[in-house]
Amino acid sequence: MIKRIVGVITVMNNWAVQSIGYNTYRPLGRPEIIAQNLDRWQLEEIVVSDISRSRHGLGPNIELLETIAQKKISTPLTYIGGIRDVSDALKVIKSGADRIGIESLIDSKPEAAKNISSAIGAQALVIAQSVFTNGNGLKKFNYIDKTTSNLNTNKILDNMTSASELLLIDVKNEGKSESFNKKILTPFHESDIQIICFGGISTGSQISNLLNNKNVSAVGIGNFLNYSELANWNLIKNSQHKSTRQLSYGKLTQGAKEWF
Amino acid sequence: MKKNLVGVLDYGTGNLSSILNCLQLLGCNTKIVKKEMDLGGISTIILPGVGSMNFAMQNIKKNNLDVLIHKIFIKNEIRIIGICLGMQLFYEFSEEGNTPCLGIIKGKVKKFPKNYCHIGWNNVHTKLLDGIENKYKNFYFNHSFYVPYKKNNSVGVTRNIEKFSSIVSKGSFFGLQFHPEKSQLIGRKLLNELIA
């Protein structure tokens, strides 16, 4: 199976933002334009995470998804933010997302999460968890009320029977260069679940190192894709990881264009 | 220059916008098909694939689309391309909800062991797309049920925890287990060849 480099777009109040440690946000521009760039750069997947929805009790940002759909992107899209029930999940899929992600719902309404999985299929559901470790087990961060608690990994593994992948976000290192804490993965080493790592991933060697873990299926990159054109090229080239996708775009995308 | 008219069958599941967008990028005229009357002028019909099998079959039967699809198969004049669930519909039976399907192709759709979901990009070994090196024939998959590989009807094969048919054909019918509309340039290239 090919391992993936996922472009993450964090959205706040309809603007794409750089997020640093869940407390500093800097505007980047219009999310649909960034999605269009990531599609052109041929990332394996795009995750749009709207962090202003659940915390304000808003539903999913359908308007944003429709705006992105108008750009006719052909990269798989996962949407996270504000999904409350089956009806919301179906609206998100109908608006152009291939998969949906939930985070707070898995604790606040576990039945709703199961119903969503039944309606759209486990393959279309991602469970996101904001976590960190201080050397004394995994802690879970509730980004809505800013509280922390111990993460019950058995409960997570149980929930994962209704979902396809676990998105583990390193809260403490999110937005920082080359700092994703690999210890976050330790409790899941013996499991069969597929994990997307996100938060503080910025270099090829780091990507390669993370993808060497058998149950890491993808790495998510947010801020560090915004500093240069075709930033993912350097990351893939430097990581030289055998399990990443062979792309034919050559030096200036001429490879694939010659197919038409 | 616009290409032939391509229909997208609306059987009430998933979203049609991704496939419509992709066809429009290829320069096709598109039309939503809901009944036999809508078929005029259409050279290819796409069966898009998001949703669950039993819900899809219920909708198909409720709207007599099963009869229509069999009629198209027998007439052999219009090409049908089933995508993901749309491909699995061609088979006799699916373990997803233990659902009897259209029965165009013999065989059974099975569930991957251990609740495994095949998500992401994987290689399709196929003679289609002649001229493109096999290492670039990577497409986007998103499924937890699959068609075990059998030589008959299979024109593309993929391996993950099981070896399975990722492209199938019978008569004027083509089935793609992956999503060409979400597989960037290589996906559009394949779709372009199939609808030409």
Side-chain angles (χ1 to χ4, degrees):
Chain A
M1 188 71 192
I2 290 168
K3 301 208 172 188
R4 289 145 35 227
I5 313 288
V6 177
V8 180
I9 305 171
T10 304
V11 177
M12 186 183 233
N13 302 324
N14 289 319
W15 288 98
V17 293
Q18 272 194 329
S19 167
I20 301 163
Y22 279 49
N23 56 31
T24 305
Y25 303 102
R26 295 176 185 147
L28 282 171
R30 285 159 55 192
E32 67 275 19
I33 301 298
I34 294 175
Q36 202 173 19
N37 285 340
L38 299 182
D39 180 53
R40 184 167 52 82
W41 298 0
Q42 301 193 61
L43 271 294
E44 273 78 43
E45 185 177 2
I46 298 170
V47 170
V48 173
S49 174
D50 191 330
I51 56 173
S52 44
R53 309 303 288 190
S54 291
R55 71 176 65 179
H56 298 303
L58 302 169
N61 195 339
I62 299 298
E63 201 179 325
L64 170 64
L65 283 165
E66 287 172 349
T67 309
I68 292 172
Q70 283 166 14
K71 297 292 176 191
K72 300 189 190 320
I73 66 168
S74 57
T75 300
L77 182 78
T78 297
Y79 172 83
I80 306 173
I83 295 161
R84 300 161 294 194
D85 50 30
V86 170
S87 166
D88 280 348
L90 292 174
K91 276 183 209 158
V92 167
I93 297 285
K94 285 205 166 184
S95 305
D98 301 283
R99 299 200 292 163
I100 67 157
I102 52 172
E103 181 165 1
S104 51
L105 193 71
I106 200 78
D107 293 318
S108 62
K109 288 183 184 170
E111 274 312 305
K114 285 211 163 78
N115 291 339
I116 289 172
S117 175
S118 303
I120 64 171
Q123 80 283 350
L125 183 64
V126 175
I127 293 177
Q129 293 287 282
S130 303
V131 295
F132 66 94
T133 180
N134 53 9
N136 189 21
L138 268 192
K139 304 286 178 194
K140 179 174 176 168
F141 179 72
N142 183 326
Y143 71 94
I144 296 172
D145 60 16
K146 308 271 182 193
T147 57
T148 61
S149 56
N150 289 327
L151 184 80
N152 183 338
T153 47
N154 287 333
K155 194 175 159 194
I156 295 284
L157 293 174
D158 186 43
N159 288 332
M160 285 307 295
T161 55
S162 322
S164 54
E165 287 184 302
L166 176 65
L167 172 62
L168 280 179
I169 308 161
D170 183 347
V171 180
K172 296 278 182 194
N173 292 305
E174 189 238 0
K176 296 178 189 167
S177 176
E178 207 172 355
S179 53
F180 182 89
N181 189 344
K182 273 180 69 180
K183 287 182 181 160
I184 283 170
L185 300 171
T186 309
F188 304 102
H189 276 330
E190 300 302 318
S191 73
D192 291 328
I193 62 168
Q194 300 178 72
I195 298 171
I196 307 170
C197 301
F198 176 59
I201 300 170
S202 61
T203 66
S205 57
Q206 188 189 16
I207 290 170
S208 187
N209 197 284
L210 285 168
L211 293 183
N212 278 332
N213 288 272
K214 76 168 173 61
N215 51 357
V216 173
S217 50
V219 292
I221 305 171
N223 298 353
F224 298 96
L225 288 177
N226 293 300
Y227 301 145
S228 62
E229 174 72 4
L230 292 163
N232 59 319
W233 282 23
N234 287 332
L235 289 175
I236 295 164
K237 197 166 57 190
N238 291 342
S239 73
Q240 294 178 328
H241 198 279
K242 282 183 196 162
S243 349
T244 50
R245 186 164 54 127
Q246 292 268 352
L247 283 170
S248 63
Y249 46 24
K251 284 181 186 167
L252 289 167
T253 75
Q254 75 271 34
K257 281 186 178 174
E258 282 170 4
W259 294 345
F260 288 89
Chain B
M1 191 179 73
K2 287 273 184 186
K3 293 183 181 172
N4 296 340
L5 182 60
V6 177
V8 177
L9 192 74
D10 183 0
Y11 55 96
T13 64
N15 86 82
L16 307 181
S17 62
S18 296
I19 190 68
L20 287 168
N21 284 340
C22 180
L23 291 167
Q24 283 156 14
L25 281 172
L26 289 171
C28 299
N29 289 309
T30 57
K31 185 180 183 182
I32 303 287
V33 174
K34 290 186 174 178
K35 53 187 184 307
E36 190 167 2
M37 294 275 283
D38 299 331
L39 291 178
I42 283 175
S43 59
T44 303
I45 297 175
I46 309 271
L47 264 73
V50 179
S52 68
M53 179 60 85
N54 46 6
F55 184 66
M57 273 310 295
Q58 273 172 25
N59 277 1
I60 283 173
K61 284 187 171 171
K62 193 170 75 184
N63 297 300
N64 286 325
L65 292 170
D66 51 338
V67 178
L68 177 62
I69 292 168
H70 275 278
K71 210 185 264 186
I72 292 169
F73 179 70
I74 290 163
K75 275 193 169 180
N76 201 24
E77 287 171 352
I78 297 176
R79 172 165 288 180
I80 290 205
I81 302 170
I83 295 174
C84 196
L85 180 77
M87 166 187 140
Q88 295 177 357
L89 283 166
F90 294 162
Y91 284 82
E92 292 171 306
F93 182 83
S94 173
E95 286 184 358
E96 187 175 10
N98 290 323
T99 312
C101 310
L102 294 170
I104 301 284
I105 302 178
K106 277 190 177 176
K108 189 169 153 182
V109 180
K110 297 184 73 174
K111 185 171 170 49
F112 281 125
K114 296 181 182 175
N115 285 326
Y116 179 79
C117 296
H118 184 219
I119 307 292
W121 296 73
N122 208 343
N123 191 259
V124 175
H125 194 81
T126 179
K127 286 182 179 167
L128 295 175
L129 296 172
D130 189 28
I132 294 178
E133 285 181 72
N134 208 60
K135 65 180 181 182
Y136 297 133
K137 293 177 185 172
N138 301 312
F139 296 85
Y140 176 70
F141 290 84
N142 184 1
H143 61 121
S144 44
F145 292 82
Y146 72 104
V147 175
Y149 172 74
K150 277 182 189 160
K151 217 172 179 181
N152 289 351
N153 306 119
S154 182
V155 287
V157 61
T158 295
R159 289 173 191 272
N160 60 343
I161 56 171
E162 302 282 344
K163 184 178 177 182
F164 65 91
S165 295
S166 45
I167 307 178
V168 296
S169 79
K170 185 171 181 184
S172 60
F173 280 40
F174 262 90
L176 311 174
Q177 182 56 74
F178 48 85
H179 289 268
E181 79 281 14
K182 287 290 180 172
S183 298
Q184 301 170 346
L185 291 163
I186 190 79
R188 288 211 291 278
K189 172 70 177 166
L190 178 64
L191 212 47
N192 195 45
E193 291 204 358
L194 292 179
I195 62 180

